[in-house]
Amino acid sequence: MKIKYLFAGLQVLLLAFSFPPAAPTDAEPQQVQVPAALAATNSWRWPLAGEPAILVPFDKPEKNWLPGHRGVDLAASAGDAVFAPQRGRVSFASVIVDRPVLVIDHGSGFKTSIEPVSAEVSVGDWVEAGTKVGQAATGAHCSGRCIHWGVRLDGEYIDPVLLIRDMRPSILLPLNE
């Protein structure tokens, strides 16, 4: 069952930091839209220093079982510092198949996964946004050239860039009003 997320108002969102689900529909799933103000107010940041180049953007498939890219690949070299993109608790730090993976549970349904990363934190550790959590490592499709950053909201993958950048179209207003 697909759940469509609606944002009743920025004020409610910022105060409660919750994303109430709408009633299920038979319509095709829509991409979750995250207000840009969430980034500034809640301190979401890139998991690498500065603003890394996006090598492969988010590409959510129409159906969960179809191929897609459920995160973004950010340019990084093995050994680059990796930082917590938001405050949270480390819920996983181990190897999955051929790569080291780090998962941070931010609460309110948000979970970040970063791979490949050699973790310098342990399961159960609390980290603040911007805290160094490890180093870019090797393994999987990002080996030696990037890290893969995924974010899930209540189990559904969302585009992590929406937590950082304002992706809304610009609106020009009249000068004389």
Side-chain angles (χ1 to χ4, degrees), residues 4 6 21 36 40 52 58 62 84 90 96 103-104 116 123 132-133 138 160 164 168-169 172-173:
K4 180 179 175 184
L6 300 175
F58 181 80
E62 283 187 41
V90 176
I96 297 178
V103 178
I104 303 171
V123 172
K132 184 178 178 195
V133 292
T138 58
I164 306 288
R168 297 173 296 174
L172 299 175
L173 301 174

Side-chain angles (χ1 to χ4, degrees), residues 6 14 29 54 87 118 123 140:
L6 300 175
L14 295 176
I54 297 173
R87 181 181 191 276
S118 296
V123 172

